[in-house]
Amino acid sequence: MAGDIVLLVAALFSAVLMFRQTEDTSEEQSLLLKVSSLALVFVAVAALGRLTLTGSGQDIETLQRMLDNLALYAALPLLATVMLGQAMQWHWSRAGWGRWLLGLFALFELCRRMELGEAYTLAMGIAISLVLLGSALRLQGIHARLASAGSGMLLAVAVCSPLLPVPPLPAFALSTALAAALPLFAFALLSQVKQPSPQ
């Protein structure tokens, strides 16, 4: 429970921090901040669900699983894509982000039906980590690079470690790793959108 509280606070703090900057940036970068804020709200809702959906029953378990899936298979890939877009100076429209989100839903459902859930989760965790580590190389400023790389490594721990053949970390440690990754991500992204685009 303590880990979920920490995660809820970190996700909401990061989401509010980024959303408050949307008016002071260009339209393209404002959209990146809004997409990131939405993804962080998904994570916060999943954490809130674990804190409040404490009853027993199949419906409650199904709802909590849906919220967790939203955070893991939609929110975290969205965050990684935002950082990659910022690093590479790629700008998508609102419709483009919407299509990407639908594509993430479809990919998850396809892998679930093919009973590739664990393999997909492991691949997703590795891909997110590599994207954030790779993006760090193209960010401006050592602190932003370290924050993006640290976020990527912490997300890898939170997502991948339960699936690896090693002694499992406690749930509190996994939630705390994810919680620590989110403000690092927010710091890295905000430090970039406030700088002029490279020519």
Side-chain angles (χ1 to χ4, degrees):
M1 177 178 286
D4 294 326
I5 294 174
V6 172
L7 179 57
L8 175 62
V9 171
L12 288 177
F13 170 79
S14 301
V16 170
L17 187 65
M18 286 196 286
F19 191 78
R20 290 182 62 183
Q21 302 299 320
T22 56
E23 296 181 358
D24 300 328
T25 59
S26 66
E27 182 178 351
E28 293 85 359
Q29 292 177 325
S30 176
L31 184 55
L32 290 179
L33 293 176
K34 289 176 181 177
V35 171
S36 298
S37 297
L38 177 63
L40 289 165
V41 169
F42 289 164
V43 176
V45 169
L48 182 61
R50 285 196 290 273
L51 290 169
T52 58
L53 301 175
T54 56
S56 59
Q58 184 175 358
D59 291 342
I60 291 179
E61 292 177 1
T62 300
L63 178 57
Q64 184 59 62
R65 191 178 306 112
M66 290 174 61
L67 294 176
D68 288 340
N69 289 343
L70 180 65
L72 176 58
Y73 301 111
L76 298 186
L78 277 178
L79 292 178
T81 308
V82 164
M83 189 64 78
L84 181 62
Q86 176 61 36
M88 302 298 293
Q89 290 299 301
W90 294 338
H91 299 294
W92 295 353
S93 65
R94 291 177 186 269
W97 283 108
R99 286 190 290 269
W100 174 229
L101 181 58
L102 291 176
L104 290 171
F105 290 151
L107 184 58
F108 164 73
E109 182 62 19
L110 177 63
C111 291
R112 186 186 70 81
R113 289 178 180 270
M114 296 175 63
E115 298 183 354
L116 298 174
E118 287 192 3
Y120 179 61
T121 302
L122 187 60
M124 181 67 73
I126 293 171
I128 290 169
S129 177
L130 290 177
V131 166
L132 290 173
L133 288 169
S135 297
L137 300 175
R138 295 184 59 90
L139 298 182
Q140 302 176 41
I142 186 64
H143 294 104
R145 292 176 180 176
L146 290 174
S148 180
S151 179
M153 289 186 288
L154 288 168
L155 286 174
V157 169
V159 175
C160 298
S161 62
L163 303 174
L164 298 177
V166 294
L169 294 173
F172 174 78
L174 297 176
S175 296
T176 303
L178 179 55
L182 302 181
L184 287 175
F185 171 89
F187 171 80
L189 183 62
L190 285 172
S191 69
Q192 300 305 296
V193 301
K194 291 183 178 181
Q195 296 188 23
S197 301
Q199 300 298 322

